[in-house]
Amino acid sequence: MFVARSITADHKDLIHDVSYDFHGRRMATCSSDQSVKVWDKSENGDWHCTASWKTHSGSVWRVTWAHPEFGQVLASCSFDRTAAVWEEIVGESNDKQRGLSHWIKRTTLVDSRTSVTDVKFAPKHMGLMLTTCSADGVVRIYEAPDVMNLSQWSLQHEISCKLSCSCLSWNPSSSRVHPSMFAVGSDDINVTCSGKVQIYEYNENTRKYAKAETLMTVTDAVHDIAFAPNLGRSFHILAIATKDVRLFKLVPIRKESTSTGPTKFEVQIVAQFDNHNSQVWRVSWNITSTLLASSGDDGCVRLWKANYMDNWKCTGILKGDGSPLTGSSGQPTAMSTVLGSSIQTSQNALNGISAGSSLKALYISAHSPNHSHIHTPVGQDCHARR
């Protein structure tokens, strides 16, 4: 029912991130070996490395794809305090590499004074915009005024979060009812009392982003954060990877028509799972937001799904080698409940950490037209980002 296939990644150090393109047919990986690799899926389902190049002068923490509407574009961020934008181009007819594609650097963003810990493209309805967050506690939003010229990016917003930033996520909702919104998480170990997740919202009047909410109950280091795809809901769902997995519902409170401040939210915790019994490093939604995957230091990927009563349950567990985790009865954990429409391409793969010289990237796909890909963590954590 599920197929787990091992891919020899050939990175020379820890793999920190895996990202899938919009269609789930291409994959990018990044590593402490300072390189990014691009993989393409063949017709028979095998993955082949089609490009590999040195991208930064430090560990590469994250890599992400732009929407294909803007071409084949990647962004990466690194401990070297920079983020970079890469574009795949096909050799011209008079080029010795005629018909062959290769990746070129379009720009380097050098505004951060410390390690750039996450990079994300904004939802495509906002245009070609790129967001970074850094250990210096600043979120920066860039825009490419001309999508045909990716060497030109302008810094539109610089938002100080007062806490060292570790991860960010855009709310993908394109509804006009919901202003543009993103969440940022912190792994600042020097601050123990304040909330480690902040929500920022765009204000049309001031044309700036303002803090709308702080999740005060999240006091442990946050490693990943992900808004669920919003398919017409009036509220938002946010998944957080910390010492456990947490799901929050953010219900906008109707504000007065004369109010100019950011939206206020009623914050509800929907679910909290400590099944990993360890730090959780990645959370990732499928495209319909019916299935959540998480990976942790226990070396397992766990799949979560809500029933008709909106109670979230674990519907599958896979170990780092791709085999299902057997229960007390000795039988593999049932995973049939997560098949069908709930398995669709995740826009971002789960983070994986691979140790040693023989690196493996593991993905799980259901036998359906679309695929959900997961990369599991193996070995120790090495996220020394600052």
Side-chain angles (χ1 to χ4, degrees):
M1 193 168 294
F2 272 73
V3 178
R5 194 172 297 178
S6 184
I7 304 167
T8 304
D10 285 331
H11 277 289
K12 293 178 175 59
D13 209 328
L14 303 180
I15 298 173
H16 292 292
D17 200 19
V18 180
S19 179
Y20 291 83
D21 75 343
F22 180 80
H23 301 290
R25 304 288 305 180
R26 309 194 80 184
M27 174 173 70
T29 58
C30 66
S31 166
S32 278
D33 65 8
Q34 306 178 2
S35 74
V36 164
K37 292 178 184 284
V38 174
W39 307 75
D40 287 290
K41 190 176 184 182
S42 63
E43 292 300 321
N44 63 2
D46 292 331
W47 289 90
H48 301 282
C49 181
T50 54
S52 176
W53 70 100
K54 183 177 184 291
T55 53
H56 293 271
S57 58
S59 294
V60 187
W61 301 131
R62 300 266 192 160
V63 61
T64 186
W65 294 83
H67 191 277
E69 179 180 296
F70 304 112
Q72 295 298 302
V73 180
L74 282 171
S76 58
C77 66
S78 170
F79 182 75
D80 69 3
R81 303 180 294 181
T82 69
V85 177
W86 310 86
E87 185 177 19
E88 185 182 41
I89 60 172
V90 178
E92 301 294 337
S93 57
N94 59 350
D95 193 326
K96 63 181 179 180
Q97 296 189 31
R98 180 171 48 134
L100 299 177
S101 65
H102 57 284
W103 291 83
I104 62 171
K105 182 190 287 188
R106 289 303 190 187
T107 195
T108 301
L109 306 172
V110 297
D111 298 283
S112 176
R113 293 167 297 157
T114 56
S115 174
V116 181
T117 52
D118 202 357
V119 59
K120 292 287 193 309
F121 286 100
K124 77 175 181 71
H125 66 268
M126 295 174 60
L128 187 54
M129 301 184 75
L130 185 66
T131 313
T132 66
C133 69
S134 311
D136 60 10
V138 178
V139 173
R140 296 175 176 88
I141 302 176
Y142 301 86
E143 183 178 18
D146 179 5
V147 297
M148 302 303 292
N149 180 13
L150 298 186
S151 62
Q152 299 295 318
W153 292 79
S154 59
L155 179 59
Q156 297 291 319
H157 303 278
E158 206 166 29
I159 304 138
S160 177
C161 300
K162 304 292 193 292
L163 288 175
S164 175
C165 301
S166 58
C167 52
L168 65 91
S169 174
W170 280 95
N171 185 347
S173 174
S174 59
S175 170
R176 294 184 180 180
V177 177
H178 303 139
S180 299
M181 179 193 310
F182 66 86
V184 60
S186 172
D187 59 0
D188 198 327
I189 59 175
N190 299 317
V191 181
T192 57
C193 53
S194 60
K196 296 286 177 65
V197 173
Q198 300 175 10
I199 314 291
Y200 288 85
E201 184 182 81
Y202 186 70
N203 187 308
E204 290 286 355
N205 296 317
T206 62
R207 297 190 176 183
K208 293 183 179 180
Y209 282 86
K211 187 191 298 183
E213 194 65 59
T214 300
L215 304 186
M216 300 302 295
T217 58
V218 183
T219 57
D220 296 287
V222 175
H223 307 300
D224 197 23
I225 195 167
F227 270 108
N230 189 308
L231 303 177
R233 287 191 305 264
S234 61
F235 56 89
H236 314 291
I237 297 178
L238 185 65
I240 297 169
T242 173
K243 66 177 183 180
D244 48 27
V245 180
R246 300 186 198 184
L247 292 180
F248 285 88
K249 180 187 288 187
L250 306 174
V251 183
I253 299 172
R254 187 182 299 275
K255 58 182 180 181
E256 302 295 330
S257 58
T258 56
S259 174
T260 59
T263 305
K264 294 300 180 186
F265 294 95
E266 178 188 345
V267 180
Q268 305 170 8
I269 184 159
V270 176
Q272 185 170 352
F273 309 110
D274 58 3
N275 303 49
H276 283 285
N277 291 313
S278 62
Q279 293 294 313
V280 182
W281 288 102
R282 286 292 189 270
V283 284
S284 180
W285 293 95
N286 68 340
I287 202 167
T288 54
S289 72
T290 53
L291 186 71
L292 177 71
S294 62
S295 66
D297 270 343
D298 60 346
C300 292
V301 167
R302 297 173 188 269
L303 304 176
W304 313 91
K305 187 176 173 66
N307 61 16
Y308 70 98
M309 297 283 288
D310 204 29
N311 294 322
W312 287 81
K313 302 288 185 184
C314 182
T315 58
I317 309 171
L318 290 122
K319 294 188 292 186
D321 60 2
S323 61
L325 190 70
T326 55
S328 57
S329 63
Q331 296 298 315
T333 307
M335 301 184 72
S336 58
T337 54
V338 299
L339 282 175
S341 62
S342 64
I343 297 291
Q344 298 197 28
T345 304
S346 292
Q347 298 309 308
N348 294 300
L350 289 178
N351 166 261
I353 303 163
S354 300
S357 58
S358 177
L359 301 175
K360 300 290 184 181
L362 177 74
Y363 74 94
I364 296 94
S365 62
H367 294 299
S368 62
N370 297 310
H371 297 77
S372 177
H373 305 277
I374 302 167
H375 181 124
T376 65
V378 181
Q380 76 226 25
D381 163 57
C382 192
H383 280 233
R385 291 187 170 176
R386 289 189 300 280

